C-alpha cells in the first residue's frame, strides 16, 4: 500500500452559520481527501487584514494518499461547493469557508500555486493557537521552531477566544455493526489494504495473514501438485495459531477487531489445490480446528473480476505469483461463493469493487464503507 501523507489544514469561516460551514468542510475533507486524524477546538478571532465579522477558526490533521498539490486542488473544489466567492476583489474579504495547507509531511514545497509551510503562519495567531492544540511539537522546517515556540513569539497580538462549540467527528456517520469484522477476497482483491485502512481509521485491532513467511508458497506456484498438501497444511496451522493467539488477547464484546482472512479460506483453497484423498484427510483436520475458533459477526467478501485480479497481481510484483492463471482464480472465487451460500448463520456482504480503486480514489473507499455501515 502507498505511503500516506500527513497534512495540517487551517479552516476559517465568517459568513452565515460559521459552525455549520466548518462542519460541512470537515465532512467533505473526510469524504474526498482522507482520514481526519485530529480536530482542534474552535476559536473566535477578529477578521485579519480587513474589517468584517469575527471568524471561527480551527485546524485539522489529515492522513491522505494524495500529494499536497493534489490535495490543494481538492480543497479548492470543497471551498467552491460551500459557496466560497473569490470574485475579483484585491485583498482579503469575508468568506463562507477558507481552507489553507499549513504543514505537509512532504516537507517544503514551492510552486507557482502552492507554498508549504504556509508563508504567513508564524504571524497569524488564528492559525497558531488551534494548531498548537493538535501539533504543538511540530517543527517548522524553515524557521526551525515548534508550533508552540512560534505562538509564544508571534508578532500577532490580536484577541483570540476558544468557543464552547465542537464539531462532530465525520467517522461517526459510519457505524460499523460488528465487533469482529473479517474482510476476505480472492488473491489480489485488496482485502489487506482495506483492512489496514479501516483498522487505522476506526481504531481497531488488526489481524493480518502472514503469507510472506510461508516457505512452501514460491515452491507451490512452480509445482502445484507436489507442494499443495504441505502448503495447505502449513497455512492451516499458521492461521489457526495466529487467530488463537491474536483473538485470545481481545475482548470481542468491547474491542473492535479487523482481520484480512478467515480460517475457512484454508478449506476453500484446499478444495481447489488438493487431490481427492488429500482433501478428505485435510477436511477432517479442518473440521476439528474450525469448531474451536470464534466466528466473525460480519464477513465482507470483496469481489473483483478475474481481469482486475490479474492486473493487481502483476502490479504488486511478487515473483512467485506471476504464474497464477485465470482458471485458478476462477476456481477460488467459486469456492468462496459456495462457502458464502452454505454458511446460513454468517452475516455476509458481497461487495463488487471491480470498477473501484479505493487507494487512488477516496470516494471509492467511502462508497465501500457505505455498503456495510449504518
Amino acid at each position: 500500500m502507498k505511503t500516506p501523507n500527513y497534512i495540517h489544514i487551517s479552516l476559517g469561516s465568517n459568513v452565515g452559520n460559521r459552525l455549520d460551514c466548518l462542519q460541512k468542510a470537515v465532512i467533505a475533507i473526510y469524504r474526498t481527501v482522507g482520514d481526519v486524524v485530529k480536530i482542534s477546538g474552535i476559536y473566535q478571532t477578529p477578521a485579519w487584514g480587513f474589517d468584517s465579522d469575527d471568524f471561527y477558526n480551527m485546524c485539522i490533521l489529515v492522513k491522505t494518499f494524495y500529494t499536497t498539490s493534489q490535495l490543494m486542488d481538492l480543497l479548492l473544489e470543497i471551498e467552491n461547493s460551500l459557496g466560497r466567492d473569490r470574485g475579483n476583489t484585491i485583498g482579503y474579504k469575508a468568506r463562507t469557508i477558507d481552507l489553507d495547507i499549513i504543514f505537509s509531511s512532504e516537507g517544503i514545497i514551492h510552486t507557482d500555486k502552492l507554498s508549504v509551510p504556509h508563508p504567513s503562519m508564524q504571524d497569524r495567531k488564528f492559525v497558531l493557537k488551534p494548531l498548537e492544540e493538535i501539533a504543538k511539537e511540530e517543527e517548522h522546517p524553515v524557521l526551525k521552531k515548534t508550533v508552540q515556540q512560534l505562538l509564544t513569539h508571534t508578532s500577532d497580538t490580536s484577541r483570540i477566544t476558544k468557543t464552547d462549540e465542537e464539531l462532530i467527528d465525520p467517522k461517526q456517520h459510519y457505524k460499523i455493526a460488528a465487533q469482529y469484522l473479517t474482510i476476505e477476497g480472492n488473491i489480489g482483491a485488496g482485502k489487506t489494504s482495506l483492512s489496514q485502512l479501516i483498522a487505522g481509521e476506526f481504531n481497531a485491532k488488526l489481524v493480518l495473514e502472514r503469507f510472506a513467511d510461508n516457505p512452501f508458497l514460491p515452491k507451490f506456484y512452480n509445482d502445484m501438485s507436489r507442494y499443495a498438501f504441505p502448503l495447505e497444511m502449513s497455512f492451516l496451522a499458521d492461521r489457526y495459531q495466529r487467530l488463537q493467539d491474536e483473538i485470545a488477547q481481545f475482548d470481542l464484546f468491547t474491542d473492535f477487531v479487523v482481520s484480512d482472512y478467515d480460517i475457512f479460506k484454508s478449506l476453500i483453497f484446499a478444495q481447489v489445490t488438493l487431490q481427492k484423498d488429500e482433501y478428505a484427510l485435510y477436511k477432517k483436520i479442518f473440521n476439528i480446528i474450525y469448531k474451536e475458533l470464534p466466528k466473525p459477526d460480519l464477513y465482507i467478501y470483496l469481489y473483483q473480476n478475474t481481469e482486475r485480479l490479474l492486473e493487481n497481481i502483476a502490479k504488486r510484483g511478487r515473483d512467485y505469483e506471476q504464474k497464477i492463471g485465470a482458471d485458478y482464480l476462477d476456481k477460488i472465487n467459486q469456492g468462496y461463493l459456495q462457502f458464502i451460500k452454505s454458511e446460513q448463520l454468517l452475516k455476509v456482504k458481497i461487495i463488487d469493487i471491480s470498477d473501484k480503486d479505493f487507494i487512488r480514489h477516496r470516494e471509492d473507499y467511502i462508497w465501500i464503507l457505505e455498503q456495510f455501515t449504518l
Side-chain angles (χ1 to χ4, degrees), residues 183-200:
I183 299 174
E184 265 283 16
N186 210 327
I187 302 167
K191 52 190 176 290
T192 301
S193 295
L194 184 61
S195 298
Q196 290 172 327
L197 281 176
I198 291 174

Side-chain angles (χ1 to χ4, degrees), residues 271-322:
Q271 192 170 16
V272 173
T273 61
L274 298 182
Q275 300 297 321
K276 187 175 181 179
D277 56 342
E278 292 176 330
Y279 179 71
L281 173 60
Y282 185 91
K283 190 174 181 180
K284 287 182 181 180
I285 300 170
F286 175 86
N287 287 337
I288 296 171
I289 289 175
Y290 188 58
K291 293 176 183 179
E292 299 182 11
L293 290 174
K295 309 303 185 288
D297 45 15
L298 180 57
Y299 184 105
I300 303 296
Y301 182 67
L302 298 181
Y303 172 80
Q304 293 212 36
N305 61 45
T306 303
E307 182 180 357
R308 277 293 303 276
L309 292 173
L310 289 171
E311 289 175 3
N312 293 342
I313 290 168
K315 285 178 184 177
R316 67 188 187 185
R318 296 172 185 161
D319 291 340
Y320 57 83
E321 289 183 341
Q322 301 312 305

